[in-house]
Amino acid sequence: MKSLFTIACLATSVLAAPAPPKGTFEWTPTLAGYMDVVFSYIQAAKAGAPSPTCDLSKAAMPVAPTPLPTPAGLTLDHVALGRGVQNYTCANATATPAAVGAVARFYNVSCVASDWPDLLPIMPNLALQYPLPAAPDAPLEPSNLVLSTHHFFSNSTTPVFAFDAPTSPDLGRVFAQKANSSEAPTNSVIGPNGQGNGAVAWLYLTSRATTVGDIKAVYRLNTAGGNPPATCQGQDSAFSVDYSAVYWFYS
């Protein structure tokens, strides 16, 4: 039987070492691994490690299995953890599910990317194990992450990233298009509780002319879950699959 315990979460809204506030969550191996890394940073801080600075120039994107184009000449403005669903439709029982976009909330992990990079690839795996908070503007637990972006599609080929929450950075509204992709790593989390059909691809997106603001490129990396079954057998005409990922925004 899995046990419950009170855990610590990152104080990502302040420039301080990770520290544990309150929250009760079911134990999972992913949560245990996350906490191991959190407490390693706490111990380093106690030992006098340099204070975090939230300097995004220090943040480094992971390299995709099939390398994606680099953001040469661009500036990293924001890093966000996305948690939501990938949407699919089925024409009939023998068809292949067709992707029709996604809906997700994004949470600010810019300081994690710059100061605690070992935590970043764990966070989508952890986020996938827990539902989104019931209150739309509430922080994402168990990491206490602040809402930064709403993600949806304006049509089947146009992802939108709207920085329209009270806690959003001033980055406007990005209308994007897929420019390149890579299969997710073979060891990616396939779905919640280890059940699913695999992690969606890593993506390189470029902004469309309708974008409001200066963002030029968006990367979807460290994906967890989101892939549909191979066929529509037993599926509804429209269905959703839980996913999480880390998004990098460049201007």
Side-chain angles (χ1 to χ4, degrees), residues 84-89 97-104 151-160 200 203 220 226 228 239-243 247:
V85 294
Q86 296 287 319
N87 296 321
Y88 300 92
T89 60
V100 290
V103 177
H151 174 43
F152 54 93
F153 275 61
S154 60
N155 57 50
S156 61
T157 60
T158 305
V160 180
V200 288
L203 298 180
R220 183 180 77 184
F239 66 97
S240 300
V241 181
D242 285 317
Y243 92 106
Y247 290 76

Side-chain angles (χ1 to χ4, degrees), residues 71-211:
L74 299 181
T75 300
L76 179 61
D77 289 309
H78 186 62
V79 185
L81 174 67
R83 174 69 174 91
V85 294
Q86 296 287 319
N87 296 321
Y88 300 92
T89 60
C90 283
N92 54 63
T94 60
T96 300
V100 290
V103 177
R105 297 180 212 164
F106 286 11
Y107 298 86
N108 192 338
V109 291
S110 293
C111 293
V112 178
S114 67
D115 295 317
W116 306 302
D118 292 350
L119 281 172
L120 200 60
I122 305 172
M123 297 184 93
N125 307 341
L126 183 61
L128 196 60
Q129 311 309 316
Y130 302 100
L132 284 167
D137 295 334
L140 182 67
E141 300 292 357
S143 303
N144 201 32
L145 302 174
V146 175
L147 181 68
S148 72
T149 321
H150 291 102
H151 174 43
F152 54 93
F153 275 61
S154 60
N155 57 50
S156 61
T157 60
T158 305
V160 180
F161 306 94
F163 291 87
D164 56 4
T167 49
S168 296
D170 186 16
L171 295 175
R173 180 175 292 238
V174 184
F175 293 84
Q177 58 198 346
K178 178 181 172 181
N180 211 320
S181 67
S182 168
E183 291 297 317
T186 55
N187 63 348
S188 299
V189 170
I190 63 174
N193 303 312
Q195 303 296 313
N197 297 286
V200 288
W202 293 22
L203 298 180
Y204 166 59
L205 308 170
T206 55
S207 62
R208 296 179 183 267
T210 48
T211 289

